[in-house]
Amino acid sequence: MSHTRTSSTVPMNDLSRGISRDRALLDAAVGSVLDSGYVIMGPHHNAFESALAEYLGVTHLLGVASGTDALEIAIKAVMPAGKCAVMTAGNAGGYTSTAARRGGFQVRYADIDPNSLCLSEQTVSDALTDDVGVVVITHLYGNLTDISTLVALCHDRGIRVVEDCAQAIGARRADGAAGTFGDIAATSFYPTKNLGAIGDGGAVITNNAKFAQTVSQLRQYGWGSKYRVAIGGGTNSRLDELQAAFLLVRLPLLDGFNERRRKIVQRYFAAAADGPLQVLPADGPHHAAHLAVALSRRRTDIREQLLLKGVATDVHFPVPDHQQIGFAAVPQSLPYTENVSLEILSLPCFPELTDDEVDLVCNAIRTLE
Ligand SMILES: *Cc1c(COP(=O)(O)O)cnc(C)c1O
């Protein structure tokens, strides 16, 4: 056996499967856009904004060009006057750091809770500094944890909360969907996300009319009306009409996709019982199961064993933000964040995996040494 992937390896993702499943719908969407004659912010764009807003139960949803743009614009829209820093977790892939830095803000990190792997009220209150005006909470791996006490802590101190729903779109609790708990939220339609486009896309979500108005200006040069720049910090970040048309036909499939993802994680979770791999559960509608993640102190060895059994794996994410060379962050110790970056690994988890492939992964997990 060789250590290189063979064609029979269960992949981490395969976009061609979803494209061929949806091919007729996607072809029709292209035709519909071409027939309309609108290519930017036309009827498909507006229809998708309304449809996703209704699905989430929010009053305002604004399409932008990517999830990273959505974060940057959301942070800019809610940053209180006189504040200049964003606090977030260091284990969430660096997207918030990229967005906040590009927006001209300082980035501060709080450690994660060892159980949820997300920020908690405790870790944030331990790390808060006076300059923090925005806390970004990432619903990492799709897990919409109960963030009500964390939101209350922030609001008590005049700090605004941005939810990063890029991995958790469609996750919901009894009291609302991911993206409706903070002041504003950002999401991504990157092709591998739970609701994926055929290219880049993103959205900003809010129930606050004033923030929505600011976002609608920021995404289009800061214009108040055509050619009249009303506010600073504007950019060009629009959701393409074609992507909106593709997303419109895939939105009705989202709940089914999320259910399939949860089933896959539940199978891996059961297969891992009593073995060396600790698969994290995704056991209800609050979890969109974006990734099937597991922890192991013997990560390199486990990944090698899985690959030999025909299972691809990846690491989300190997380098915490506060240790990224390019972010040139102030040296800081975040013990749980650092520990998780050494132990976390991801197993194949996307709706188009076949039952045979899921069986193969389960057998591989069961026979780990
Ligand atoms: C993918 C992702 C983003 C960024 O989205 P893009 O559309 O790729 O810019 C932001 N946050 C999280 C948690 C993500 O997974």
Side-chain angles (χ1 to χ4, degrees):
M1 277 202 211
S2 100
H3 282 243
T4 52
R5 288 183 193 183
T6 64
S7 57
S8 62
T9 300
V10 180
M12 281 300 293
N13 222 311
D14 180 357
L15 295 175
S16 68
R17 299 183 191 185
I19 291 172
S20 52
R21 178 200 54 219
D22 303 338
R23 185 60 191 254
L25 292 168
L26 298 171
D27 280 341
V30 172
S32 176
V33 169
L34 297 180
D35 286 345
S36 80
Y38 288 91
V39 293
I40 297 278
M41 290 181 139
H44 299 85
H45 171 269
N46 298 342
F48 174 66
E49 284 189 341
S50 303
L52 186 55
E54 190 181 330
Y55 170 88
L56 294 171
V58 290
T59 48
H60 303 279
L61 186 137
L62 296 106
V64 293
S66 73
T68 307
D69 279 4
L71 282 167
E72 181 186 335
I73 290 171
I75 292 166
K76 278 183 182 163
V78 303
M79 181 64 77
K83 301 287 182 175
C84 64
V86 174
M87 176 159 280
T88 194
N91 68 327
Y95 307 104
T96 292
S97 297
T98 300
R101 290 165 60 88
R102 195 157 175 272
F105 304 111
Q106 302 289 314
V107 188
R108 315 237 175 274
Y109 301 105
D111 209 352
I112 54 169
D113 175 87
N115 294 310
S116 72
L117 309 186
C118 298
L119 295 178
S120 72
E121 181 199 10
Q122 188 62 52
T123 65
V124 169
S125 66
D126 287 350
L128 272 181
T129 48
D130 284 344
D131 55 356
V132 171
V134 168
V135 170
V136 179
I137 300 171
T138 306
H139 303 306
L140 196 64
Y141 309 133
N143 189 13
L144 173 58
T145 55
D146 182 359
I147 59 169
S148 48
T149 55
L150 182 42
V151 172
L153 165 89
C154 291
H155 285 176
D156 276 352
R157 305 196 186 192
I159 296 168
R160 302 245 165 81
V161 175
V162 175
E163 293 175 74
D164 180 349
C165 303
Q167 303 191 354
I169 201 77
R172 44 181 87 239
R173 313 185 68 92
D175 47 349
T180 62
F181 293 90
D183 296 286
I184 200 164
T187 197
S188 165
F189 308 119
Y190 181 77
T192 63
K193 303 286 154 119
N194 294 45
L195 177 59
I198 313 293
D200 276 312
V204 180
I205 300 155
T206 184
N207 277 315
N208 181 307
K210 193 172 137 285
F211 295 151
Q213 167 75 5
T214 306
V215 169
S216 78
Q217 295 179 339
L218 289 173
R219 74 174 170 182
Q220 191 145 247
Y221 322 113
W223 283 355
S225 58
K226 206 171 183 189
Y227 306 135
R228 307 205 179 253
V229 179
I231 59 172
T235 186
N236 170 5
S237 183
R238 295 176 293 228
L239 179 65
D240 189 82
E241 188 74 0
L242 271 173
Q243 298 307 334
F246 294 144
L247 290 163
L248 203 48
V249 301
R250 277 188 167 170
L251 178 58
L253 309 174
L254 176 59
D255 285 340
F257 291 160
N258 287 350
E259 189 53 36
R260 172 74 179 155
R261 286 176 184 270
R262 278 192 288 271
K263 285 261 157 58
I264 292 168
V265 176
Q266 281 158 13
R267 296 264 338 261
Y268 296 167
F269 183 85
D274 310 321
L277 197 57
Q278 186 200 341
V279 172
L280 303 189
D283 50 6
H286 69 280
H287 205 309
H290 174 62
L291 291 170
V293 289
L295 295 166
S296 169
R297 296 230 169 96
R298 295 188 284 123
R299 181 170 70 190
T300 306
D301 167 35
I302 296 280
R303 291 188 70 195
E304 213 154 274
Q305 288 188 55
L306 288 169
L307 188 58
L308 287 171
K309 295 169 194 283
V311 178
T313 59
D314 205 343
V315 173
H316 299 94
F317 297 93
V319 182
D321 293 21
H322 68 294
Q323 296 179 339
Q324 292 282 14
I325 291 166
F327 288 152
V330 183
Q332 179 183 5
S333 166
L334 299 169
Y336 290 120
T337 302
E338 288 157 28
N339 193 51
V340 157
S341 76
L342 300 173
E343 296 189 0
I344 200 93
L345 68 127
S346 304
L347 300 158
C349 180
F350 56 101
E352 300 81 16
L353 277 176
T354 65
D355 289 341
D356 284 349
E357 286 172 323
V358 176
D359 287 345
L360 190 153
V361 178
C362 287
N363 282 329
I365 293 171
R366 248 181 248 116
T367 55
L368 283 171
E369 284 165 11

